[in-house]
Amino acid sequence: EVQLVQSRAEVKKSGESLRISCEASGYRFTSYWINWVRQMPGKGLEWMGKIDPSDSYTKYSPSFQGHVTISADRSITTAYLQLSSLKASDTAMYYCARRGSGAYYNSLDYWGQGTLVTVSS
Amino acid sequence: QSVLTQSPSASGTPGQRVTISCSGDSSDIGSHSVNWYQQLPGTAPKLLIYSNDQRPSGVPDRFSGSKSGTSASLAISGLQSEDEADYYCASWDDNLSGVLFGGGTRLTVL
């Protein structure tokens, strides 16, 4: 069974940094891109970026470039999202999601449960 | 384009058929397939329709998708109370080299 299990909720202060994890199981980790999606309170979904775990190639949305870093550790089948210099506006739910293959190629076919990040000033 | 265009809300009564639309342009929907995601309250999004009109295993056939040109639609027939959720369309975007989501449609079952 494919599963993406994310780290627990975090409460941080402005200016701090944070790393969220997404542990994958039930499939070959290096064969599927992992994407990160942000959802601010009461708002829609925003694509942040993606990583190819086979070689750690990354691609970021211009909206998030420079503020986030996506990485992966193949040895423990885990992807990470690092947020730096946190601001109150970073308060959101963050999801990891797997990009499918074959007919599912352009879809996000499995999602993590989400990690709620709260940033206080 | 920063986001695909969806109506913010839709509603229907149990048993009715409702349609949710999604509009894009040539760099996204016009060139790539459309996917739909369902987000029930307090949960993570779930893939509902992929490749314009395909249902993943386990998704009831009450849900159907279609695409024409730079627009797509999600239809829900035999509306049920458990269908009350937010629905997002999404497509690959050439300019972004990533996923472009619609703004979401909140479906209310009256």
Side-chain angles (χ1 to χ4, degrees), chain A residues 35 37 39 43-47 50 59 61-62 95 99 103-104 106-109 111-113, chain B residues 32-33 35 37 39 43-47 50-51 56-57 88 92 96-99 101-103:
Chain A
N35 294 256
V37 176
Q39 187 169 39
K43 302 298 184 183
L45 305 174
E46 301 174 88
W47 181 77
K50 62 184 181 182
K59 175 69 177 175
S61 165
Y95 295 101
R99 184 180 183 180
Y104 290 83
N106 272 340
S107 70
L108 302 178
D109 60 355
W111 292 66
Q113 83 277 17
Chain B
H32 302 282
S33 60
N35 307 300
Y37 301 91
Q39 187 175 32
T43 69
K46 164 193 157 185
L47 180 63
Y50 67 98
S51 292
S57 174
Y88 295 90
W92 187 260
L96 190 60
S97 290
V99 180
F101 287 101

Side-chain angles (χ1 to χ4, degrees), chain A residues 29-40:
Chain A
F29 182 63
T30 53
S31 295
Y32 297 80
W33 292 69
I34 292 289
N35 294 256
W36 288 91
V37 176
R38 182 177 79 172
Q39 187 169 39
M40 298 176 74

Side-chain angles (χ1 to χ4, degrees), chain A:
Chain A
E1 178 195 6
V2 174
Q3 284 193 303
L4 298 175
V5 178
Q6 297 183 227
S7 49
R8 64 181 184 180
E10 300 263 10
V11 179
K12 291 290 189 181
K13 294 189 186 305
S14 293
E16 292 184 333
S17 296
L18 167 68
R19 190 175 76 164
I20 301 168
S21 66
C22 171
E23 182 178 1
S25 62
Y27 72 96
R28 180 173 291 184
F29 182 63
T30 53
S31 295
Y32 297 80
W33 292 69
I34 292 289
N35 294 256
W36 288 91
V37 176
R38 182 177 79 172
Q39 187 169 39
M40 298 176 74
K43 302 298 184 183
L45 305 174
E46 301 174 88
W47 181 77
M48 302 176 72
K50 62 184 181 182
I51 187 165
D52 179 350
S54 69
D55 60 6
S56 290
Y57 174 82
T58 54
K59 175 69 177 175
Y60 297 96
S61 165
S63 300
F64 295 94
Q65 181 91 42
H67 184 50
V68 305
T69 302
I70 297 172
S71 60
D73 186 337
R74 290 176 293 177
S75 68
I76 55 173
T77 64
T78 299
Y80 299 97
L81 175 69
Q82 181 160 340
L83 306 171
S84 57
S85 301
L86 288 166
K87 302 184 283 287
S89 58
D90 291 315
T91 294
M93 183 73 83
Y94 294 86
Y95 295 101
C96 63
R98 187 185 84 162
R99 184 180 183 180
S101 67
Y104 290 83
Y105 184 62
N106 272 340
S107 70
L108 302 178
D109 60 355
Y110 286 91
W111 292 66
Q113 83 277 17
T115 297
L116 180 63
V117 174
T118 304
V119 182
S120 63
S121 51

